[in-house]
Amino acid sequence: MSKNTPKAIRGTQDIFGADAEAFAYVVETFERVRKLYRFRRIEMPVFEKTEVFSRAIGETTDVVSKEMYSFEDRGGDSLTLRPEFTAGIARAFLTNGWQQHAPLKAATHGPLFRYERPQKGRYRQFHQIDAEIIGAAEPQADVELLAMADQLLKELGIEGVTLHLNTLGDADSRDKWRAALIDYFKKVEGELSEDSQERLEKNPLRILDSKDRRDQQFLADAPKIDEFLTEEATAFFEAVTTGLDAAGVKWTRAESLVRGLDYYRHTAFEFIPDDGSAAADALGAQSTVLGGGRYDGLMESLGGAPTPAVGWAAGIERLAMLVGGHSEPAADVVVVVEDDQMTAEGQAAVSAIRAAGISAEFIASGGKKKRFDKAVKVGSHAILAMSGGERRLRYQSEGEDSVRLASALRKLNLD
Ligand code: ATP
Ligand code: MG
């Protein structure tokens, strides 16, 4: 690399090889599972007006106060690269009149941008898969969404990750809990981390989420949401847990689990690797793989009518680290032309093979003697070689794949 070649931006990744295969496998599995649950695919802009995020997520959150990539465009508007999907989807729901589709089960995936300190599993451009149910107030929506997340992890073959579940109550319960937390932490204010001292009045729930030792010593005895839950909020949470049990989704209660963003009500959850599991080893300190909850207050913060909704997002890179070892698949067939007279015949064969849904690599250039060796190196179930006016088919592997392949090639008269 020459000295004047530009470097990649810090915290971005160029994903290639086995990592790229694992990434694609996560997305493909998500696509399959969201169809099983009949979530509709949506595609969203990568940027929005800055206020979409500042109003929906809340000015006091880390995401809005420290992590956004915001800039003025040539027309003088303040725009922000999306740090999450939910706010933009809520904006789209309102501006497009998607109320007519409610309850709308929507799914998407793509890149997100946050100005964070890059480390393993934490990037400045990262990617998420995302699922939302908008316009559904009933606890069955939470159950459906969580069952989908659980099935996704199972289908990805990820083990040793558990659903940690909490309720933040309704607005009334949450306000009372908030006041009690302020009272409690006020007494030890001087001993809290600087961040938490700052959060104390603005966003005391966030202190419960603190990774700082100075804060953690006070967390066990902090007031618990259960003391403040209204009857409705208790009933809602019970309906969610009963539904999860019925759906066969394992969960554990996490009384101090709060989510970083302001808009959550009722159900809040994260899927976290179990201590000592292979998943925890693979992810290190960046442990949450999937998180979300109910955000009944969000639409109002964007000027919409009250609209109950629930959703989750999961980091594709973190999921890909857990599925691991996805080598690039072997080709079904390599067509190799060793005799330039047969190039057209080779091209016709490879086209017919691909049109029949069989993967194929075509080698018809470079030194003639080296072409067959090249074909072997590709790694394939079969090699179809063309030389001396003849075709030769050589199978390189046995088993089910080859049997299926043989019958497909026979149909094409290429055996
Ligand atoms: P964390 O506590 O790890 O910062 P978060 O609460 O900010 O997570 P969410 O906003 O809930 O994360 O995003 C959901 C998921 O997206 C996370 O569980 C994680 O898998 C992934 N994620 C979030 N931020 C990043 C990042 N900077 N790099 C890679 N993945 C990320
Ligand atoms: Mg974060």
Side-chain angles (χ1 to χ4, degrees), residues 10 207 345 390:
R10 188 165 134 79
I207 301 177
E345 198 179 323
E390 283 182 13

Side-chain angles (χ1 to χ4, degrees), residues 158-390:
I158 294 174
E159 283 171 4
V161 172
T162 302
L163 165 58
H164 292 233
L165 186 68
N166 197 16
T167 176
L168 306 175
D170 44 29
D172 198 27
S173 339
R174 196 178 144 132
D175 287 347
K176 291 203 176 101
W177 186 35
R178 191 175 183 284
L181 286 170
I182 295 179
D183 279 351
Y184 172 81
F185 285 119
K186 264 244 140 83
K187 294 192 189 109
V188 294
E189 184 167 2
E191 296 171 67
L192 298 175
S193 68
E194 294 76 30
D195 273 352
S196 287
Q197 293 187 17
E198 210 175 296
R199 289 175 187 133
L200 185 53
E201 297 284 347
K202 287 192 240 152
N203 198 347
L205 271 62
R206 285 286 282 132
I207 301 177
L208 300 175
D209 205 18
S210 171
K211 310 271 180 313
D212 195 304
R213 279 222 196 114
R214 288 171 289 173
D215 302 327
Q216 282 185 331
Q217 55 177 328
F218 300 115
L219 301 188
D221 294 328
K224 300 285 181 294
I225 180 70
D226 286 8
E227 301 165 34
F228 307 99
L229 288 180
T230 59
E231 241 171 73
E232 289 85 352
T234 306
F236 190 96
F237 191 54
E238 269 170 21
V240 172
T241 57
T242 307
L244 289 176
D245 293 339
V249 177
K250 291 212 184 71
W251 57 277
T252 179
R253 178 71 197 273
E255 280 182 314
S256 55
L257 187 152
V258 293
R259 302 277 307 140
L261 314 181
D262 275 351
Y263 51 57
Y264 287 104
R265 297 283 179 282
H266 289 292
T267 323
F269 53 84
E270 291 184 346
F271 283 77
I272 303 175
D274 305 335
D275 278 341
S277 64
D281 284 351
L283 287 184
Q286 310 310 326
S287 51
T288 301
V289 290
L290 183 153
R294 182 163 272 286
Y295 52 93
D296 291 352
L298 174 61
M299 292 293 174
E300 287 153 90
S301 70
L302 293 178
T307 309
V310 57
W312 58 249
I316 298 178
E317 288 87 352
R318 292 191 199 173
L319 290 170
M321 282 158 83
L322 296 182
V323 305
H326 265 256
S327 48
E328 290 165 284
D332 289 319
V333 184
V334 180
V335 175
V336 53
V337 175
E338 295 174 285
D339 174 348
D340 289 341
Q341 304 276 327
M342 297 184 79
T343 302
E345 198 179 323
Q347 182 62 65
V350 77
S351 295
I353 289 170
R354 289 168 174 162
I358 303 166
S359 69
E361 196 81 68
F362 187 43
I363 297 178
S365 61
K368 281 186 203 114
K369 286 190 185 132
K370 294 204 176 124
R371 290 184 198 172
F372 196 84
D373 289 346
K374 261 202 216 163
V376 173
K377 276 206 191 109
V378 167
S380 65
H381 297 298
I383 295 178
L384 181 62
M386 314 244 172
S387 63
E390 283 182 13

Side-chain angles (χ1 to χ4, degrees), residues 8-291:
I9 295 170
R10 188 165 134 79
T12 64
Q13 320 166 77
D14 306 309
I15 310 173
F16 179 70
D19 291 341
E21 289 302 324
F23 189 107
Y25 174 68
V26 170
V27 175
E28 282 160 19
T29 308
F30 174 67
E31 274 298 292
R32 192 158 50 73
V33 172
R34 68 102 185 150
K35 286 178 195 162
L36 292 176
Y37 284 75
R38 298 187 47 78
F39 276 59
R40 301 167 77 176
R41 180 77 203 190
I42 54 173
E43 303 301 335
M44 300 300 306
V46 168
F47 52 7
E48 296 275 353
K49 287 199 169 143
T50 298
E51 65 171 327
V52 169
F53 304 110
S54 56
R55 285 170 61 180
I57 302 175
E59 299 278 2
T60 63
T61 57
D62 284 354
V63 169
V64 172
S65 62
K66 300 182 194 153
E67 297 175 358
M68 292 208 300
Y69 277 94
S70 302
F71 60 96
E72 205 171 277
D73 75 358
R74 288 169 194 274
D77 290 323
S78 175
L79 306 182
T80 293
L81 301 183
R82 63 185 180 199
E84 60 143 43
F85 278 113
T86 309
I89 294 174
R91 190 277 306 148
F93 186 85
L94 297 173
T95 53
N96 295 309
W98 285 347
Q99 287 90 345
Q100 59 176 315
H101 303 297
L104 174 63
K105 298 197 284 182
T108 193
H109 88 273
L112 294 305
F113 305 84
R114 295 185 190 176
Y115 193 80
E116 302 205 64
R117 200 163 65 78
Q119 50 192 297
K120 184 174 161 197
R122 189 175 294 284
Y123 314 99
R124 289 184 173 174
Q125 175 171 340
F126 62 103
H127 301 78
Q128 285 181 343
I129 48 177
D130 181 277
E132 318 275 347
I133 305 182
I134 307 177
E138 62 282 355
Q140 284 72 30
D142 307 45
V143 173
E144 179 169 13
L145 199 77
L146 281 165
M148 173 166 142
D150 187 68
Q151 182 164 353
L152 173 71
L153 295 179
K154 284 184 180 139
E155 303 226 352
L156 287 170
I158 294 174
E159 283 171 4
V161 172
T162 302
L163 165 58
H164 292 233
L165 186 68
N166 197 16
T167 176
L168 306 175
D170 44 29
D172 198 27
S173 339
R174 196 178 144 132
D175 287 347
K176 291 203 176 101
W177 186 35
R178 191 175 183 284
L181 286 170
I182 295 179
D183 279 351
Y184 172 81
F185 285 119
K186 264 244 140 83
K187 294 192 189 109
V188 294
E189 184 167 2
E191 296 171 67
L192 298 175
S193 68
E194 294 76 30
D195 273 352
S196 287
Q197 293 187 17
E198 210 175 296
R199 289 175 187 133
L200 185 53
E201 297 284 347
K202 287 192 240 152
N203 198 347
L205 271 62
R206 285 286 282 132
I207 301 177
L208 300 175
D209 205 18
S210 171
K211 310 271 180 313
D212 195 304
R213 279 222 196 114
R214 288 171 289 173
D215 302 327
Q216 282 185 331
Q217 55 177 328
F218 300 115
L219 301 188
D221 294 328
K224 300 285 181 294
I225 180 70
D226 286 8
E227 301 165 34
F228 307 99
L229 288 180
T230 59
E231 241 171 73
E232 289 85 352
T234 306
F236 190 96
F237 191 54
E238 269 170 21
V240 172
T241 57
T242 307
L244 289 176
D245 293 339
V249 177
K250 291 212 184 71
W251 57 277
T252 179
R253 178 71 197 273
E255 280 182 314
S256 55
L257 187 152
V258 293
R259 302 277 307 140
L261 314 181
D262 275 351
Y263 51 57
Y264 287 104
R265 297 283 179 282
H266 289 292
T267 323
F269 53 84
E270 291 184 346
F271 283 77
I272 303 175
D274 305 335
D275 278 341
S277 64
D281 284 351
L283 287 184
Q286 310 310 326
S287 51
T288 301
V289 290
L290 183 153

